[in-house]
Amino acid sequence: MELLALSVLMVAMALTYLAWTAASRRRCSRCYLVDYACYKPPDNRMVTTDMTFAMAERNKHLGISELRYLFRLTSRTGLGEQTYIPSGALAGREKCLTYQDAHDEMDAFFIDTVAGLFSKTGYGPRDVDVLVVNVNMFCPQPCLASRIAHHYGMRDDVAAYNVSGMGCSATLVSLDIVQNVMRARSPRPVVALVVSTEVLSPGWYGGTDRSMMLGLCLFRCGGAAALLTSDPAFRRGAKMKLRRLVRATVAANDDAYSAIFQREDADKITGYSINKTLPKAAVRAFAANLKRLVPYILPVRELVRLATDLIRQKMSRRRRFKIDVNLKTGVDHFCLHSGGVAVIDAVKKNFGLNEADVEPSRMTLHRWGNTSASSVWYVLAYMEAKERLKRGDRVLMVTFGSGFKCNSCMWDVNRALADKGAWADCIDEYPLQSTANPCLDKYSWMMNDNADDDSTLPLL
């Protein structure tokens, strides 16, 4: 009888929670994605495997062992032959990239992409009420938000925010700031511009620490700008509506906290150390995020099933069993950060996704590399260029970043989308049957079985 009473009580609590969740969904403030634009750098900044290897050979710190290891890393990243790096590195100045190189890298992106977004949407710089810029590694004075506001002559009362140090998860941190400002200013309509990019010049690593070499093989230039509004007049014309945004940080866990770490190596060269615990940290952070997200994105029938499984587990005295969440009951498309092959595979394996679910992320990694916080916009652009986003579809956007953080949001698609955007000249080539590096045969002597320690290769 006691067990029966307990089960009835838990079911009642679950139903109460579901009712509260449904009410919360209705109370969520309006935030519409008017449009967005992804940056396509000029072709003269494109880097191939041959060019990457030539740069490595110029580095006098690297011996044959390090060169062999660096190539093995490069061959397993899943990147193609058309990604982009700073022009200074291509010019042979990778050991002495300057403050001005960083500014030039940033300016080339925002002058092209933000101007293109204004032209696309019909909005102008003086229509912007809120400006949020996120760049992880470059934080000059005046800040980059002020630099953009100055360049475009934005209004004196524009609320400008500059976000740094938040890693690849920063684009949804910026979106969270926008959403909170919209709530605070409601019911007055707000127009917000979010600018997400990474400046690679300040973080270029030329040392020999193997845990810090991965960044050179994985991170590439890119960026995106998104225009959002809380004006209900855009309910039908906007591309998507934000339903829910959730942030999670698992920094209390030592392995997660140290998964990505900026530090000096033994030779006092600063870089970013990427630990082999990274995939596990991503899964841990995603699981923590989903605990708070799923009540807002899954249908009632799936929530009832989860509540029932949880009750069974609580009542089971002899064994524990895994509770599987079927995300596909509430999600049509998965827009996952293209952080690397290992991260994509870990999320796929642990959360019941198939290859079709992670295809946009994997193809984005191949075409553009890891563009840090802006990568999810390239993934979204891939789905749109493939004409997969239809009215009523639900898109789950997930980002991961150092700390370790997982931020996610659910978008509702307002209308059929078909803009090719930055993918226009290559979308018909995708998806690829294989993302294997085409130079494997050419450099096969680098891949011998007697090569040195591969302790960080599981990351790839």
Side-chain angles (χ1 to χ4, degrees):
M1 290 296 292
E2 290 181 0
L3 286 178
L4 179 60
L6 177 61
S7 62
V8 170
L9 177 61
M10 293 189 71
V11 169
M13 291 175 64
L15 292 175
T16 302
Y17 180 67
L18 292 176
W20 175 82
T21 298
S24 296
R25 287 175 176 172
R26 290 191 292 270
R27 289 197 303 268
C28 189
S29 62
R30 294 183 296 264
C31 180
Y32 302 101
L33 176 65
V34 179
D35 211 335
Y36 64 99
C38 296
Y39 178 48
K40 183 179 182 293
D43 289 346
N44 61 10
R45 287 175 58 185
M46 198 174 286
V47 64
T48 64
T49 300
D50 287 338
M51 296 165 71
T52 301
F53 192 61
M55 281 190 290
E57 286 186 309
R58 292 198 298 260
N59 188 343
K60 302 306 180 184
H61 290 286
L62 304 181
I64 187 63
S65 174
E66 287 81 17
L67 288 174
R68 182 179 291 124
Y69 181 76
L70 192 60
F71 178 75
R72 293 203 309 279
L73 283 176
T74 302
S75 68
R76 302 183 191 188
T77 56
L79 273 64
E81 299 288 279
Q82 294 181 308
T83 58
Y84 307 89
I85 63 173
S87 55
L90 287 171
R93 296 188 292 103
E94 63 272 11
K95 290 180 64 177
C96 54
L97 293 171
T98 65
Y99 180 84
Q100 188 58 49
D101 285 320
H103 264 307
D104 291 345
E105 188 181 338
M106 178 69 190
D107 291 348
F109 152 67
F110 82 73
I111 290 173
D112 175 276
T113 307
V114 175
L117 182 61
F118 284 143
S119 176
K120 239 166 94 170
T121 60
Y123 278 91
R126 299 189 68 82
D127 295 319
V128 176
D129 302 303
V130 181
L131 169 65
V132 187
V133 179
N134 61 261
V135 178
N136 187 45
M137 291 190 285
F138 186 46
C139 190
Q141 304 294 329
C143 70
L144 295 171
S146 293
R147 191 175 183 87
I148 292 175
H150 170 74
H151 177 83
Y152 286 103
M154 293 183 175
R155 302 194 319 259
D156 293 344
D157 64 345
V158 64
Y161 300 85
N162 203 94
V163 179
S164 64
M166 300 299 285
C168 302
S169 67
T171 198
L172 293 191
V173 175
S174 299
L175 188 57
D176 192 29
I177 292 172
V178 167
Q179 184 178 235
N180 288 332
V181 173
M182 288 179 173
R183 285 172 178 156
R185 297 191 181 187
S186 181
R188 193 182 79 178
V190 172
V191 174
L193 174 65
V194 170
V195 180
S196 296
T197 188
E198 189 55 271
V199 178
L200 300 184
S201 297
W204 199 268
Y205 179 68
T208 60
D209 189 309
R210 296 190 172 189
S211 71
M212 302 167 81
M213 289 182 178
L214 179 56
L216 292 176
C217 309
L218 193 59
F219 288 99
R220 294 293 185 263
C221 293
L227 200 65
L228 304 112
T229 183
S230 59
D231 190 343
F234 282 84
R235 182 176 56 186
R236 298 187 183 278
K239 286 191 170 182
M240 299 191 295
K241 178 184 177 181
L242 180 64
R243 183 194 298 187
R244 180 64 57 173
L245 189 151
V246 171
R247 294 168 59 183
T249 301
V250 291
N253 178 271
D254 290 341
D255 287 342
Y257 178 70
S258 60
I260 305 174
F261 216 86
Q262 185 179 21
R263 61 177 178 84
E264 291 181 336
D265 65 11
D267 298 315
K268 305 301 180 183
I269 301 174
T270 302
Y272 288 84
S273 174
I274 302 178
N275 197 293
K276 61 184 178 181
T277 61
L278 175 60
K280 289 183 179 179
V283 171
R284 178 191 292 268
F286 194 18
N289 186 284
L290 285 178
K291 286 180 181 178
R292 293 166 45 218
L293 179 68
V294 291
Y296 301 102
I297 67 171
L298 297 186
V300 172
R301 67 180 183 278
E302 178 66 10
L303 293 174
V304 170
R305 185 188 69 79
L306 289 174
T308 303
D309 287 349
L310 181 61
I311 292 170
R312 287 174 54 213
Q313 187 177 84
K314 293 291 185 182
M315 296 175 63
S316 177
R317 298 180 179 180
R318 296 185 178 180
R319 64 186 182 94
R320 308 286 288 181
F321 52 88
K322 184 179 178 181
I323 298 178
D324 293 317
V325 179
N326 186 359
L327 293 175
K328 296 182 185 180
T329 59
V331 180
D332 297 301
H333 307 279
F334 294 87
C335 185
L336 306 175
H337 168 52
S338 51
V341 172
V343 172
I344 294 171
D345 287 344
V347 171
K348 172 188 170 184
K349 176 182 176 181
N350 285 274
F351 296 97
L353 307 185
N354 58 37
E355 189 57 33
D357 297 323
V358 301
E359 174 205 308
S361 183
R362 207 180 293 281
M363 297 304 109
T364 297
L365 181 66
H366 180 271
R367 174 60 182 87
W368 306 97
N370 182 342
T371 60
S372 190
S374 65
S375 72
V376 285
W377 295 108
Y378 287 93
V379 178
L380 185 67
Y382 177 89
M383 298 177 188
E384 184 173 355
K386 283 292 186 183
E387 301 184 19
R388 295 177 181 174
L389 302 180
K390 308 298 182 184
R391 182 179 179 183
D393 283 357
R394 299 151 299 181
V395 180
L396 178 61
M397 184 177 280
V398 182
T399 63
F400 301 101
S402 57
F404 198 87
K405 297 176 286 292
C406 174
N407 302 323
S408 66
C409 70
M410 176 69 88
W411 295 99
D412 292 328
V413 181
N414 283 350
R415 53 186 171 86
L417 304 178
D419 186 1
K420 305 295 184 186
W423 289 88
D425 64 347
C426 61
I427 191 62
D428 293 336
E429 301 170 15
Y430 290 90
L432 302 175
Q433 292 298 316
S434 171
T435 57
N437 190 294
C439 296
L440 286 177
D441 290 338
K442 181 177 181 180
Y443 294 103
S444 59
W445 61 277
M446 288 280 190
M447 306 291 287
N448 67 74
D449 294 334
N450 297 320
D452 299 297
D453 173 50
D454 280 356
S455 60
T456 63
L457 290 182
L459 285 170
L460 303 174

